[in-house]
Amino acid sequence: MTVAGFGVRPAWLLVGAAALTLGYLFRGLLLPLFLAAALAYLLNPLVVWAEGFAIRRSFAVAGLYLGLVLVLAAGALVIGPRLRVEVGALAARLPTLADEVDAALQLAARELTEAAPALRRVLPHPDARMGWIERLLEGRAGSLGDWLEHAGRILLVGIMVPFFAFFLLRDSRRLVAWLMDRLPPAHVETSVALCCEIDRLIGRYVRGVALDGLVFGMLVALALWGLGVPYPLLLGALAGLANPIPVVGSVLSAAAAALVALAHGQGLGAVGWVALVFIGLKALDDVLIQPLTIGRSVQLHPALLLASVVAGNQALGILGMIVAVPTVTVLQETVRLLVEHRRLVAAPAPRAEEPAGYPG
C-alpha cells in the first residue's frame, strides 16, 4: 500500500516522523554527534589498515585511541610549552586588550590621515577615542556565570565527541548490517552499492577538509612567526579552523592577526604584510592545496554557500559557520547520488538491436 500514489509506505512515514521527533528532542546532541562522525571518518582508514593485519576491529579502535593519547601527549611536550606561554601572555593582557586595540586603531587612523588627508572625511578625528572594541563587545561579554556556562558546554562536547566516535568506529558495520537486514531483498544489492559510494564521498571530503585546514593553519603560523607577529600558534590554529568558511574565514583570521599586530605597536606596515601573507597563502590554498586534498568536484552554489554560513551563524555562532559548509556540502552530494541512483533505476533498459536482414 502506498500513500497518494507516490510509492511511500506508511511505515517509512512513521519512521521519518519518529526520526524528526527524536532529532528535535535530542537536538543538543546533534553537534557532538556531527563532530564525532567527522572524527570517525578521519580515523577510519587507520582502523581499516589495522584490520588488514587480522586485528579485530574493537582491538584496533582501542589501540588507535591509545596511540592518539600518546601522540597528543608527545605533542603537548613539544608544542605545549610554547602554546602555554602564548595563552598565558594573552590572558594577562585581556583586561587592557580592548584599550590597547583602540589605541592602536587610533594611531593607525592618524597615520592614514597624515598619508592621505582626503581620508579625514571618512575616518573619525585622530584625537577622538573611538571605543570600537567596547561597542563591539557591548552586550556580548556576559557575566561570569555565562562564561562558566559556555566553558562547561565546551568541556562536555569535548568529552562526548571522542566517546561517540569510539562507538561509531567500533559498531558502524553492525549498524549498517542491521539496517540492511531490514530492507527488502530486492533492494539490498543496490542499497549497499549506494551506501558504499556515499561513505567514500563523505570520508574523502571530511578528511580533505581536515587536512586542508591543518596545512593552511601551519603555513599561517610559520608566516606570522617569520613576520614577528605575536601568538603565531593561536592565530594559525584560528586560521586553520576558520578555513572551511569560504572568504569569511580568511577575512576573520586575517583581521585577528592584523589587530594583534596593531595592539603590539607594529604599525600599518605590519598590517600590510599580514594582508599580503593571507592573500598569498589563500591563493596557494585555492590553486594547489585544496585540489590535492579536497578536489575540485565538490562545490556549493554561491547562494547555498551564503545561506549555509548565515544559518550556521544563527544556530551556533562561529562554530556553526565552521561546520555549516562541510555539512551542507555532504548533504548536497548525498542527495545528488540518491537522485542519480533513482534516475538509473527508473530508466528503461536498452532494447537489444535486431539482426540485420539479408536481401532475398
Side-chain angles (χ1 to χ4, degrees):
M1 180 178 178
T2 60
V3 176
F6 290 101
V8 181
R9 297 180 180 275
W12 286 111
L13 290 177
L14 292 176
V15 170
L20 290 175
T21 303
L22 289 175
Y24 176 77
L25 293 176
F26 296 96
R27 58 189 181 277
L29 295 177
L30 292 180
L31 178 61
L33 285 174
F34 172 80
L35 296 177
L39 180 60
Y41 271 110
L42 288 175
L43 300 180
N44 187 61
L46 297 176
V47 178
V48 174
W49 175 78
E51 286 182 307
F53 295 94
I55 301 176
R56 291 181 56 185
R57 190 172 183 87
S58 57
F59 291 122
V61 175
L64 175 61
Y65 264 59
L66 179 60
L68 285 176
V69 170
L70 295 177
V71 169
L72 291 176
L77 291 176
V78 175
I79 306 177
R82 175 64 182 175
L83 188 61
R84 189 162 53 247
V85 169
E86 291 189 10
V87 173
L90 181 60
R93 296 176 69 99
L94 279 179
T96 60
L97 186 60
D99 292 334
E100 292 176 358
V101 173
D102 272 332
L105 291 174
Q106 186 176 356
L107 179 61
R110 182 179 292 110
E111 292 180 8
L112 285 175
T113 53
E114 291 176 356
L119 293 177
R120 293 176 180 173
R121 300 178 181 178
V122 180
L123 297 175
H125 193 276
D127 296 329
R129 186 177 184 275
M130 292 176 282
W132 288 346
I133 303 300
E134 290 183 1
R135 289 197 297 269
L136 179 65
L137 297 178
E138 186 177 357
R140 303 189 182 203
S143 62
L144 178 60
D146 295 333
W147 281 100
L148 291 177
E149 183 180 357
H150 292 318
R153 289 179 180 176
I154 294 173
L155 179 61
L156 183 60
V157 170
I159 294 173
M160 288 192 294
V161 167
F163 179 79
F164 289 150
F166 178 87
F167 291 103
L168 286 175
L169 282 171
R170 193 191 69 175
D171 301 326
S172 58
R173 289 182 179 175
R174 297 178 186 174
L175 178 61
V176 171
W178 182 85
L179 292 174
M180 291 302 168
D181 289 340
R182 269 65 188 170
L183 291 176
H187 300 293
V188 170
E189 184 176 353
T190 55
S191 298
V192 169
L194 183 62
C195 287
C196 290
E197 189 171 356
I198 293 174
D199 181 69
R200 283 194 299 269
L201 182 144
I202 296 175
R204 184 172 65 248
Y205 178 73
V206 170
R207 288 188 287 271
V209 168
L211 182 58
D212 178 49
L214 177 63
V215 173
F216 185 75
M218 291 175 61
L219 291 176
V220 168
L222 288 173
L224 294 180
W225 175 76
L227 291 176
V229 177
Y231 319 125
L233 288 179
L234 292 177
L235 293 173
L238 173 63
L241 287 174
N243 193 50
I245 313 173
V247 182
V248 177
S250 299
V251 171
L252 287 176
S253 50
L259 286 177
V260 168
L262 283 176
H264 286 76
Q266 295 187 352
L268 289 178
V271 173
W273 280 109
V274 167
L276 288 176
V277 161
F278 271 89
I279 291 173
L281 290 180
K282 192 56 186 173
L284 178 65
D285 182 48
D286 292 338
V287 173
L288 181 61
I289 301 175
Q290 283 191 15
L292 292 177
T293 55
I294 301 175
R296 298 183 181 272
S297 59
V298 180
Q299 294 181 352
L300 283 180
H301 189 276
L304 187 58
L305 174 66
L306 179 61
S308 63
V309 171
V310 172
N313 181 46
Q314 292 293 327
L316 298 169
I318 296 295
L319 182 59
M321 296 172 65
I322 293 173
V323 302
V325 175
T327 302
V328 175
T329 303
V330 167
L331 291 176
Q332 172 189 266
E333 293 301 303
T334 302
V335 171
R336 181 184 63 82
L337 287 175
L338 291 172
V339 171
E340 289 181 357
H341 172 72
R342 182 75 175 176
R343 187 182 299 118
L344 290 175
V345 171
R351 292 184 298 180
E353 295 183 1
E354 296 181 0
Y358 292 94

